[in-house]
Amino acid sequence: MTTEPPPSQTPADDSQPSPEPQPRLKVEQPAHHAAGVKAVAVAMKQAVSQMGVTRTTRTLSRINQPDGFDCMSCAWPDPDPEHRHSAEFCENGAKAVAEEATKERVGRDFFRAYSIADLSDKSEYWLGKQGRLTEPMVKRSGSQHYEPIAWEDAFTLIATHLTELVTPDEATFYTSGRASNEAAFLYQLFVRMLGTNNLPDCSNMCHESSGVALIDSIGIGKGSVSLLDFYSADLIVVAGQNPGTNHPRMLSALEAAKRRGARILSINPLLEAGTSNFHNPQNMRGMIGKGTDLADLHLPVKVNGDHALFLGIGKLLLEWRAIDADFTDAYTVGLEEWAEHVGRLSWSTLTNACGLSLEEIESAARMVSNSRATIWCWAMGLTQHHNSVATIREVVNLALLRGDLGKAGAGLCPVRGHSNVQGDRTMGVWEKAPGWFLDSLGAEFSFKPSPHHGFDAVESIEAMHDGRVSVFIGLGGNFAHAAPDTGYTTEALRSTKLTVQISTKLNRSHAVCGDTAIILPTLGRTELDMQSTGPQMITVEDSMSVVHASRGRLRPASDSLRSEVAIICGIAAATLGDRHDVDWGALAGDYSLIRRHIASVVPGFEHFEERVLRPGGFVLPHPPRDSRTFETASGRAEFGVSQLATLEVEPGQLVLQTLRSHDQFNTTIYGLNDRYRGIHNGRRVLFMNRADISNLGFKAGDVVDIHAAWRDGRDRCAPAFRLVAYNTPRGSVAAYYPETNPLIPIGSTAEHSNTPTSKSVIVTLSLSSAAPIRDDDRGPALDELDGTGTSGLVWPPASGR
């Protein structure tokens, strides 16, 4: 069967003249504020360059509006509709929309020009800038090029591979946090009807530790606060998080809380611009005034020192008897055991483990003790260590000690990254779905789901690597570059018989593929989703359990695109046939039918259709928040006792945390600048304490290779990183991912959650002899840099550590 001709597009042309030489990587004093005129100008310039003036104006005005579309960037909640600003988006949200609504296109001419090997040689930045995918493509066995394939032929090819498996467990089905509730629900339904629970998702690699810790301690794996709580809190703790880059709209909530008298405690190895000074572009003071210094106290904890810090705060609160005894007596168990454990810890042990002085810990504990209501926020700086679950349980212990659940202005707030990552889990995308969910799903659709746990993300990689899984299907995301141990993951994906990527744009995972590979291009959030019954809306769930609608309006990038829902239904119908009494075509044509099934299966979604049509949507139930009830084994919130574990670091070794630049969202690279940290036109930089640079025999500006050893004996290396002197604690270094993902051993994961330890990688450095590496495939090459910009700069000002 032949395909329809693709829409007109500009073919890739390698014969174009070489671009003008690019500016060299530059390190300078970073911007000290996290928004303001500069942020607005940067966002608008990038949006207009990709979308044009008219398209930019029309699209940005609809981001996060009740009748618009949900931003595909972070999961920070929206204000109530009556309090929303006309520009309810941040700089990075505008960049994310510009990436999706770009006028650039990738079609058959592009894939004819570039082989798999050609694409493999390109940077992630270059791949992302090529534009939107426009038609289904297939790389057939033995070929080095993608070629067009008709939709129905693609579905048949996928179905053939799936039905020829000896067991359904030989396939794994990944989901990113971009998928809608409707798509996620149908995806997990199809996978479970196929007969497996292999449903890894991006939660496995980010906030899985939060879910495990919260379920164990309070009985539900979600945060307990609302956006309104930020406006009545006395204290807001921001730990292991960089809101200025990763959740910029959170800064507006912090600013509003600050103006109402709240204090803010920042805990992070790096002093980030967002918590040091904030210029809000949504008001005149933020645009032209001096901004708001958000953090009242910043604690530069060393990497992986948070567990010890929270134990130290707890030790002081117990000594001071700063306890909400009414709450602990009525609603908790385990306080005595925890208090006994904390009391045995010595201060020398705790201060050495966290890298802070007793005076600094006392200052933080006094802020907690004096607070009537505290919100405890954290992100991946806490979740991606070997002891992450223990660390987060320690945060919960402090909240329980102070009675910070079920009252206004207080609670637990794991700040999720991707826009619907929490909704995906609510919809059942989980390799370890609880029995009640499987029973409810089976009753609704008259089948018996497998009760056996499936593979998570790390287990899926290992299973592909050793041949137990031969089919990988990805609903969104960029698995090849989001996963740890890039070399090992690449080997795993390339050893499969089939990889399928449901994507809006080109990324690394299209080049790191199986023997047969299929690309299925899908609609984006910004685009009109027209099905047989008319235009459709989708729904998402934000970080604070609010479910709301999203409606795209732009004309799709190609007439050949299909929605995620339609693609899933097409694969399911081709694979399952009449094995189950599900009308996949009807579900693809009318998403309200999907929502009826969700309402029957998932608690809290009763009258789904009616409630989600209300402006702002509705809030899902949360027993600890709503009624101080806890669905744990004891029926109470449970204090957890966790032994203090520290990394064993030998002389000459450092502890690396991977992080994002400001021009980045997950693995999508918007640009090559990180102005909040003073980096321009480059990404291969390593932030390091000046004393460590000197003591190890280097100087600022040197180019080094980063090595990570693991017990498997493999020397994992990320070559050619420029040393940048920075005010990070001694022994702690930082660099951007995905460039540093090759250093994260596949076997180094968090206890209980199996999350890769991306924030605590033990590394050594050596002077680099690597070939030049270009961040954007055009320049500058690292060997062209003279390093003069780094020779005298330490930012922020040295603290003497």
Side-chain angles (χ1 to χ4, degrees):
M1 182 181 292
T2 59
T3 58
E4 301 81 12
S8 61
Q9 55 197 270
T10 303
D13 187 356
D14 266 349
S15 66
Q16 294 286 336
S18 298
E20 293 297 317
Q22 300 296 303
R24 294 180 176 184
L25 184 148
K26 182 170 64 173
V27 181
E28 60 184 27
Q29 180 141 324
H32 69 285
H33 58 273
V37 176
K38 178 70 171 178
V40 174
V42 169
M44 294 304 295
K45 180 179 179 180
Q46 186 152 341
V48 170
S49 70
Q50 295 186 71
M51 296 189 289
V53 175
T54 302
R55 193 174 175 88
T56 294
T57 303
R58 183 187 310 136
T59 306
L60 296 187
S61 66
R62 292 172 179 156
I63 302 179
N64 299 320
Q65 298 301 333
D67 61 346
F69 64 92
D70 189 71
C71 181
M72 65 291 295
S73 188
C74 79
W76 189 253
D78 303 319
D80 291 336
E82 60 270 23
H83 296 125
R84 288 188 198 179
H85 196 275
S86 58
E88 193 60 57
F89 60 89
C90 66
E91 176 186 346
N92 279 2
K95 292 175 182 176
V97 170
E99 288 282 315
E100 178 175 290
T102 177
K103 293 183 176 181
E104 300 297 323
R105 300 289 182 262
V106 173
R108 60 182 65 184
D109 292 332
F110 175 92
F111 288 111
R112 189 178 298 118
Y114 291 97
S115 68
I116 297 293
D118 293 332
L119 296 177
S120 297
D121 287 339
K122 298 299 185 181
S123 72
E124 197 65 43
Y125 176 70
W126 185 91
L127 291 171
K129 291 303 179 186
Q130 301 315 298
R132 289 289 300 278
L133 296 160
T134 57
E135 59 180 325
M137 306 297 295
V138 60
K139 184 200 81 68
R140 300 190 185 277
S141 178
S143 174
Q144 277 297 304
H145 282 265
Y146 282 100
E147 61 188 61
I149 185 173
W151 277 105
E152 297 308 318
D153 289 348
F155 295 152
T156 298
L157 183 54
I158 295 168
T160 299
H161 277 270
L162 292 176
T163 54
E164 288 179 350
L165 298 174
V166 175
T167 168
D169 290 331
E170 293 177 8
T172 195
F173 300 82
Y174 176 72
T175 316
S176 83
R178 196 193 79 98
S180 66
N181 287 328
E182 291 76 11
F185 183 80
L186 287 188
Y187 194 58
Q188 62 83 33
L189 173 64
F190 159 60
V191 170
R192 293 194 160 103
M193 283 185 165
L194 184 66
T196 184
N197 285 314
N198 290 348
L199 282 159
D201 71 337
C202 57
S203 288
N204 296 151
M205 294 185 281
C206 56
H207 265 292
E208 195 69 48
S209 298
S210 299
V212 171
L214 291 172
I215 289 172
D216 287 348
S217 54
I218 66 172
I220 183 172
K222 300 181 181 184
S224 65
V225 301
S226 71
L227 190 56
L228 289 176
D229 285 319
F230 279 78
Y231 307 138
S232 57
D234 282 353
L235 173 67
I236 301 170
V237 178
V238 181
Q241 184 191 1
N242 176 17
T245 289
N246 300 335
H247 312 93
R249 289 196 301 146
M250 180 179 178
L251 297 176
S252 297
L254 294 178
E255 180 192 42
K258 184 82 172 177
R259 295 196 185 284
R260 287 174 169 81
R263 305 190 76 196
I264 296 174
L265 169 61
S266 167
I267 302 169
N268 203 44
L270 306 180
L271 175 61
E272 301 286 15
T275 49
S276 58
N277 189 259
F278 174 51
H279 286 233
N280 190 339
Q282 294 183 346
N283 58 56
M284 187 58 64
R285 177 189 176 96
M287 294 288 281
I288 63 175
K290 67 180 184 64
T292 303
D293 292 322
L294 294 180
D296 295 275
L297 174 65
H298 172 71
L299 296 184
V301 65
K302 72 180 185 181
V303 172
N304 196 45
D306 304 273
H307 189 196
L309 169 60
F310 294 130
L311 283 166
I313 292 174
K315 185 178 178 71
L316 289 170
L317 294 177
L318 289 167
E319 290 177 0
W320 299 339
R321 300 203 58 77
I323 303 169
D324 185 339
D326 291 339
F327 179 87
T328 57
D329 291 346
Y331 299 109
T332 73
V333 295
L335 173 57
E336 291 183 3
E337 293 83 356
W338 177 71
E340 182 180 348
H341 163 66
V342 172
R344 290 195 299 265
L345 297 170
S346 71
W347 279 114
S348 61
T349 297
L350 294 173
T351 54
N352 287 336
C354 70
L356 299 169
S357 68
L358 176 57
E359 291 73 22
E360 288 171 307
I361 301 173
E362 286 179 338
S363 296
R366 190 62 66 187
M367 293 174 74
V368 176
S369 175
N370 292 337
S371 170
R372 174 193 56 84
T374 300
I375 294 176
W376 303 84
C377 304
W378 70 91
M380 287 187 286
L382 263 59
T383 66
Q384 294 180 323
H385 304 273
H386 180 69
N387 57 344
S388 283
V389 173
T391 299
I392 296 164
R393 290 214 66 174
E394 216 57 60
V395 174
V396 179
N397 288 341
L398 297 180
L400 298 181
L401 192 70
R402 297 290 300 158
D404 285 325
L405 270 84
K407 69 181 181 185
L412 300 164
C413 184
V415 184
R416 311 282 179 175
H418 222 320
S419 60
N420 197 40
V421 61
Q422 185 160 301
D424 287 351
R425 185 57 59 87
T426 302
M427 292 296 104
V429 175
W430 191 10
E431 77 283 354
K432 298 181 180 69
W436 66 261
F437 180 89
L438 298 178
D439 291 344
S440 181
L441 187 71
E444 177 71 8
F445 292 97
S446 302
F447 80 109
K448 187 169 180 58
S450 170
H452 304 295
H453 289 170
F455 295 142
D456 63 19
V458 168
E459 291 165 343
S460 292
I461 297 167
E462 293 170 331
M464 287 187 285
H465 199 273
D466 63 24
R468 288 175 290 136
V469 162
S470 61
V471 175
F472 174 93
I473 299 180
L475 177 58
N478 180 9
F479 189 78
H481 256 192
D485 211 334
T486 305
Y488 185 94
T489 297
T490 296
E491 293 170 0
L493 287 165
R494 287 178 174 162
S495 70
T496 60
K497 295 179 181 178
L498 173 70
T499 54
V500 180
Q501 304 291 343
I502 302 170
S503 310
T504 57
K505 297 188 69 181
L506 196 66
N507 64 48
R508 180 67 51 194
S509 295
H510 302 122
V512 180
C513 56
D515 182 46
T516 299
I518 297 175
I519 300 173
L520 301 178
T522 186
L523 294 174
R525 290 268 181 90
T526 58
E527 292 169 317
L528 180 66
D529 186 350
M530 182 66 71
Q531 300 299 331
S532 60
T533 61
Q536 304 296 312
M537 71 174 182
I538 59 170
T539 63
V540 297
E541 178 187 347
D542 65 30
S543 242
M544 297 179 186
S545 302
V546 180
V547 179
H548 57 276
S550 177
R551 304 171 182 86
R553 301 286 183 84
L554 293 181
R555 179 179 177 179
S558 163
D559 293 338
S560 296
L561 299 185
R562 295 194 183 184
S563 70
E564 290 177 328
V565 167
I567 292 170
I568 294 164
C569 288
I571 297 173
T575 305
L576 300 176
D578 58 1
R579 285 167 52 186
H580 299 280
D581 186 20
V582 177
D583 188 342
W584 298 101
L587 295 174
D590 185 354
Y591 298 179
S592 69
L593 300 179
I594 308 170
R595 289 188 283 273
R596 290 182 197 173
H597 288 300
I598 294 172
S600 297
V601 172
V602 186
F605 283 84
E606 298 81 8
H607 308 292
F608 189 178
E609 191 77 10
E610 174 188 345
R611 295 161 69 205
V612 82
L613 289 174
R614 300 170 187 166
F618 63 94
V619 182
L620 292 174
H622 189 289
R625 176 199 65 209
D626 302 336
S627 58
R628 285 185 165 176
T629 55
F630 303 92
E631 297 174 359
T632 61
S634 65
R636 292 181 169 219
E638 299 186 358
F639 281 85
V641 174
S642 302
Q643 299 303 314
L644 178 62
T646 56
L647 293 174
E648 297 180 6
V649 181
E650 298 177 1
Q653 293 181 331
L654 303 159
V655 183
L656 167 73
Q657 63 166 329
T658 70
L659 40 73
R660 300 178 189 170
S661 78
H662 189 66
D663 259 357
Q664 175 180 358
F665 179 72
N666 291 347
T667 61
T668 301
I669 312 302
Y670 300 139
L672 301 176
N673 300 326
D674 189 353
R675 69 177 187 277
Y676 291 171
R677 298 188 181 106
I679 303 299
H680 298 271
N681 207 58
R683 290 180 51 83
R684 300 187 77 87
V685 295
L686 181 67
F687 300 103
M688 188 172 174
N689 187 288
R690 176 172 291 282
D692 286 336
I693 294 175
S694 176
N695 290 344
L696 291 176
F698 303 114
K699 62 182 183 296
D702 280 347
V703 180
V704 300
D705 296 338
I706 311 174
H707 305 268
W710 184 242
R711 54 185 175 228
D712 60 9
R714 295 174 61 188
D715 177 27
R716 294 164 172 84
C717 179
F721 280 72
R722 179 74 67 181
L723 291 180
V724 174
Y726 210 82
N727 191 12
T728 181
R730 294 286 304 274
S732 300
V733 295
Y736 305 131
Y737 70 82
E739 290 85 352
T740 48
N741 283 6
L743 300 169
I744 305 163
I746 192 68
S748 181
T749 61
E751 271 191 303
H752 309 299
S753 70
N754 210 33
T755 297
T757 57
S758 304
K759 293 295 185 288
S760 53
V761 186
I762 298 177
V763 300
T764 57
L765 308 179
S766 65
L767 282 174
S768 182
S769 58
I773 294 177
R774 299 175 184 270
D775 280 305
D776 63 355
D777 294 313
R778 296 177 299 177
L782 280 173
D783 65 345
E784 297 170 354
L785 304 178
D786 57 20
T788 54
T790 65
S791 60
L793 173 68
V794 179
W795 174 262
S799 63
R801 293 187 183 282

